Each structure stands twice: as C-alpha cells, then as structure tokens.
Amino acid sequence: MTYDVDVVVAGAGPVGLMLACELAIGGVSVVVLERRTDVDPTIKAGALNLPAVEALYRRGLLPALTEAQRQTYELFATFMRERAAQAGAGGPEGAAGPSAPGAGSGGPSKPKAGGAPKFAGHFAGIMLDAGRLDLTDPELGGHGPAERVTMVSQQQLEAILGERAAELGVDVRRGVEVTGLEADGDGVTVATTAGPLRGRWLAGCDGGRSTVRKLAGFEFPGTGPEITAYQALAELEGTEALGAGWQATPTGVYAHGPVPGRILTVGFEAPLAGRDDPVTPGELQAAVRHVTGAEVTVTGIRSATRFTDNARQATTYRRGRVLLAGDAAHVHSPFGGQGLNLGIGDAMNLGWKLAATVRGEAPDGLLDTYTAERHPIGAWVLDWTRAQVALMRPDPHARALRRVVENLAGTVSGTTYLAKRIAGVWQRYDMPGDHPLTGASAPDLELADGSRLADHLHGGHALLFDPDGVLPAGGYRDRLTVLHAVCPQRPELAGLLVRPDGFVAWAADAGAVDLPSLQNALTTWLGAPATVPR
C-alpha cells in the first residue's frame, strides 16, 4: 500500500498545529490541511491554564509565551488608563451601571508590581480575588516558571505554534478543505479541494462543526443551547455607564474589558438564525443595550462572534484510523476559558501515542488510552460550563443560587477551590501505583546543575529521573532519556518515569523502590524492551 503521509491533520488552529508538532518531533510525517488561507482573526480564548502552559513549556516555548503575555499586559494597562480617564470625567471607576442585586464584582483589580492584574479568573462571571487564595495549598505551588504565564490569547498561541511547526518542517497546506474520506483497516483516503491524499491515520482537529467527525460517523450527544452570546472587539461610545469586568443584570450577564473595546454579552433568548453571517454593528449594539441596559453605541467592529452553550461530546475519540481532538471532539460555551486548554491537552496526550503507533513501537492498547484518559476531562469541562450557564440565568431561582455561590466564592476556601479547578491543577490520569505523584503532571524539579526537569523534555521522549544511577532501563535507551541528576529540594525522590506528555507513570521514594512496578510501567507505556540493550 502506498501512502502520501503518515498522518493527515485536518485543521490548522492551535490544536491541529500542536498535534502536528508533536507528531513531527515523534519522527512521523504529517500534513496539515486548513480551509482558511490565513489565521482566523476572530476574538476567541484569552488565557491558558496550567496544564496547557506546562505542555508548551516542556517543548521549549515558554519564552515565546512570556513575550505574548507581556504584550497582553500592555493592553490591560491601556484599558485601566481609559477607565481612570472616564472616572476623572465624572463616572466612578468600575461603575457597575444597571445590575441585579448580587451582581458580580468588578473586573481585574489594578495591576500589581510587574504589571500583572491581581485576579484568579471567574466562575459564571463571579470574579475571584487572588488575594483570597490559600497560597499554602500544595496544588497551587511547585510548578516552576509555568506558574507565571496565563494571559496568552488564542491568536497569539496560534502564531507561536505556526512558527514552531515551520521550524520542524511541518507541511501546512492552507486553502485546502476536506470534502470526503474513505477509511479502511490500513489507512484513510482523504478527498480534498486540492485532490486526494492517502494517510495511515487522519486526525480531525477542525473545530466544533468538524467535517471529519461528521464524515466518519462519530456519535455526538449532548445538550442544546439556551443562550445567544456575543463577544467582540469594537469601537464603543457610552462605555462610562458600563462596569469593568463581569456584571449581572436583569436580562443576562456581560463583561467589559480587560482590553480596550472588548465586550461580551450573554442573553437568554433563542439562538438566532444565520449564525455564520457576519455580526453587524446594529446587531451587536442591540445585544449590548439589551443585556447591559446602557445606551452604548457601536460605531465599528474589529472582530466579533456569536456563540451558544451547545454542549456535546463524541462518545469516543477514535473510530478505526480516524481520531478527533479539540472542539471536533467536544463543544461547549467558552465560560471559564477551558476550551482551548482542553484541546491542547488532547493534542499533547495523543501526539506521542500516535507517533509511537506509526513507528510500530506502541504497546497493545496504547492508542485506546487516549479516549480513556481525555474523555473524562472533557466531560468535566462540559458540566463546568453548564453549571456556569445555570448561574447566569436571570430568573429569580438562578439569581438566588448565584448569591449563594458569590458568598462561597468570597471565602478563602471557596476562592481556592474554584481557582484550582479553573487552573487545571486537579487534572491527572488513572495509573497503577500508590505514590502521590503517579498519574499527576510531573513536578518541575530544579536540579543541582541549574536545569529544570522540563528542560529535558523538549525532544518529546519519555524521561527516567534516576538520581542514584541504579534504575534498570537499558532496553529502552532508544525511547527514553535517562537523567542522572541531583534535586536538592526533593532528596527523598529515588526515581520518576515521566511519559512524553509530562505525566508521571511511576515514582518511588528512597527505600521504597519497586523495580518490578517500574518494569511494568516501562512496558505499559513504551512497549517491550529492545532485545539488545542500547
């Protein structure tokens, strides 16, 4: 059988590009097909959670993320200066305008030292004050430099991953649309507007209305929409009547800022027809006035989109030789900023497993662990967003419940709980073993030579941290980086087996090293050892 490429990836958004980069460093050939000819400029996600940043950090992209965040903070500062100028002109800064009792607090507080706003996200538009975080909670610390990055937009990330894909020689073909597919036991023939393409595997990363998902016949159950929401970057007049940040009103919820011209409205009307039509200034203005109650005028639109709270998830992320990742596998409202992050996690989990499968090194069932590990996290995100929509409803029962949640969110324990869920520090996979690190994202150990654990994961290999040089892994030297290093902060650690995606598959403390369990973990995730150790 002749193949044009090992893997065809449909979609060149952040998820498709991330997956393509993971496949490329895994040594397999990949072609990315994208119907658009340029990067989608529509305003979308504006932040990354910790698992997403850790994934990118482990591939050497932290400097680029840090620079992107610096640019975002400059926009934050501009917005706050504009608010201050409006306050000086007669309107109190952060004036809430019309709002229901128990409306959410204002937006981000003024920048603290270094220019970073002091906030910890939001739940259903209820802003979380970072000053109420329990910083002694062990899940909030120990993540290394990744902790310092969060405010990176989807467009910024797409640009960063596009540059990374180009460096790796990934073939990205823009202006090419998938129109059909025929899958068999050996591969997939993909019909496109540029002609057919034969690949061993096809990965659908082509968004919530995924053509790949529909053509391959994936089931996509879930709940239908009940809101019509708009998010835009626009030229607005009359914004002095708006509160900064998230606000609840008698007709819905809205958010103003934290960058100039950004407005988001959530109205509880039936979804409009013509969702694919461009959002006009008149349509956006009507939505803003309806939800905010303020006479805001929209004089121009730089970027605008409609969305609903349609929440659906594929029952499996794999059908034969076809796989799904990102919004192609799950759709939901963007509240809480989970969608982009969920997709990056999908790509990080799938990439090394699919690459090992293509190379013929994967142990039995490895690719099936993709759905097993990622589907529960996707299901949680859908429920997390559904809960937020329930708290945004303007009816008396929902507003009564909202006031209860606001009170809970105003406590140290409540803020900490919600912030940890938003940040994603709770995410782990079910793996055998009693050590508390097993199944969790690997700690970013600071080593005596000045490097950190993440520095040794750039190449996409599994890693065995073996400080004493006594752990047997000779039959895996072709698939494994063995790191003999001292970690002064964690002297009790006798070993860690870290998968290519950065999750711990085995861990042991001094005096409790179980070599058979290490061998089992190596076999489970990396396959049988080489006959002749290398």
Side-chain angles (χ1 to χ4, degrees):
M1 179 69 69
T2 300
Y3 298 92
D4 299 302
V5 66
D6 291 325
V7 182
V8 178
V9 175
V15 177
L17 290 173
M18 183 74 181
L19 178 59
C21 290
E22 288 298 290
L23 292 168
I25 65 174
V28 305
S29 61
V30 56
V31 168
V32 182
L33 307 179
E34 172 55 52
R35 64 179 181 81
R36 294 185 60 92
T37 57
D38 56 0
V39 174
D40 187 354
T42 306
I43 181 172
K44 293 182 180 178
L48 299 176
N49 68 6
L50 187 61
V53 176
E54 286 181 325
L56 297 158
Y57 170 38
R58 288 165 178 155
R59 297 300 184 255
L61 296 175
L62 191 66
L65 297 178
T66 302
E67 170 58 21
Q69 178 169 261
R70 184 195 64 77
Q71 296 171 9
T72 299
Y73 281 158
E74 288 183 354
L75 292 175
F76 285 0
T78 299
F79 177 75
M80 297 308 295
R81 285 194 296 270
E82 290 180 355
R83 296 295 300 177
Q86 289 176 343
E93 173 147 2
S99 62
S105 62
S109 63
K110 292 184 178 180
K112 56 185 176 182
K118 187 180 180 183
F119 73 107
H122 77 90
F123 183 74
I126 300 169
M127 296 301 297
L128 306 179
D129 182 357
R132 293 194 178 98
L133 284 173
D134 178 7
L135 298 180
T136 66
D137 190 305
E139 290 186 335
L140 290 177
H143 301 282
E147 294 178 349
R148 299 195 289 268
V149 175
T150 183
M151 302 311 298
V152 177
S153 72
Q154 182 160 328
Q155 283 85 358
Q156 289 173 314
L157 179 58
E158 189 169 333
I160 290 169
L161 290 173
E163 291 179 6
R164 174 64 170 160
E167 291 171 359
L168 293 171
V170 172
D171 184 1
V172 179
R173 303 179 185 178
R174 293 191 175 273
V176 179
E177 187 170 358
V178 173
T179 58
L181 65 87
E182 291 185 10
D184 53 52
D186 298 314
V188 184
T189 300
V190 183
T192 80
T193 51
L197 192 63
R198 176 73 176 174
R200 299 178 190 274
W201 297 86
L202 169 63
C205 305
D206 50 341
R209 304 182 196 180
S210 170
T211 297
V212 170
R213 184 187 68 235
K214 295 171 184 175
L215 290 173
F218 284 85
E219 295 181 14
F220 203 50
T223 53
E226 62 177 277
I227 68 169
T228 297
Y230 294 84
Q231 182 172 211
L233 289 173
E235 283 77 49
L236 307 172
E237 295 179 356
T239 58
E240 61 275 5
L242 301 179
W246 285 88
Q247 309 289 334
T249 76
T251 52
V253 176
Y254 74 90
H256 179 216
V259 299
R262 188 258 188 167
I263 188 75
L264 185 153
T265 66
V266 182
F268 284 79
E269 298 81 34
L272 298 175
R275 184 181 167 191
D276 293 327
D277 297 337
V279 177
T280 65
E283 180 185 353
L284 178 63
Q285 178 175 292
V288 172
R289 291 186 176 186
H290 170 69
V291 174
T292 69
E295 291 299 305
V296 173
T297 300
V298 178
T299 60
I301 293 177
R302 285 172 278 162
S303 173
T305 184
R306 306 176 193 86
F307 64 88
T308 72
D309 58 325
N310 183 42
R312 300 184 180 277
Q313 183 180 26
T315 54
T316 178
Y317 292 177
R318 176 190 174 190
R319 290 199 70 191
R321 293 270 172 161
V322 182
L323 301 125
L324 302 177
D327 288 351
H330 37 70
V331 296
H332 51 84
S333 73
F335 303 129
Q338 298 291 327
L340 172 61
N341 298 292
L342 184 59
I344 293 298
D346 291 347
M348 193 71 169
N349 186 286
L350 173 60
W352 69 276
K353 295 174 181 177
L354 183 53
T357 301
V358 172
R359 295 194 308 265
E361 297 175 355
D364 291 342
L366 179 65
L367 204 52
D368 292 329
T369 67
Y370 168 54
T371 294
E373 291 183 341
R374 295 303 300 173
H375 197 277
I377 295 177
W380 176 87
V381 168
L382 263 66
D383 277 349
W384 185 254
T385 59
R386 289 181 180 118
Q388 292 182 78
V389 170
L391 286 179
M392 290 179 175
R393 293 178 185 137
D395 65 86
H397 293 86
R399 283 301 158 87
L401 181 59
R402 183 182 183 89
R403 288 191 286 274
V404 172
V405 175
E406 280 183 322
N407 288 335
L408 291 172
T411 65
V412 170
S413 58
T415 295
T416 303
Y417 168 80
L418 292 170
K420 288 198 304 180
R421 305 302 280 186
I422 293 167
V425 297
W426 59 275
Q427 295 182 16
R428 58 191 303 137
Y429 301 134
D430 184 16
M431 299 185 202
D434 297 328
H435 195 282
L437 290 178
T438 302
S441 180
D444 191 33
L445 303 178
E446 188 173 359
L447 306 175
D449 63 3
S451 67
R452 306 188 74 102
L453 192 73
D455 298 327
H456 300 274
L457 292 168
H458 291 185
H461 295 100
L463 182 146
L464 181 63
F465 172 64
D466 180 12
D468 299 320
V470 298
L471 301 178
Y476 293 93
R477 294 303 178 109
D478 57 338
R479 285 159 275 173
L480 185 68
T481 298
V482 179
L483 178 60
H484 301 305
V486 175
C487 178
Q489 289 79 23
R490 299 291 296 268
E492 79 283 1
L493 273 180
L496 287 178
L497 176 61
V498 182
R499 303 189 320 186
D501 59 357
F503 280 77
V504 177
W506 175 87
D509 290 337
V513 176
D514 180 357
L515 294 182
S517 67
L518 170 59
Q519 187 61 47
N520 182 65
L522 287 166
T523 304
T524 297
W525 299 109
L526 303 183
T531 304
V532 180
R534 305 180 199 179

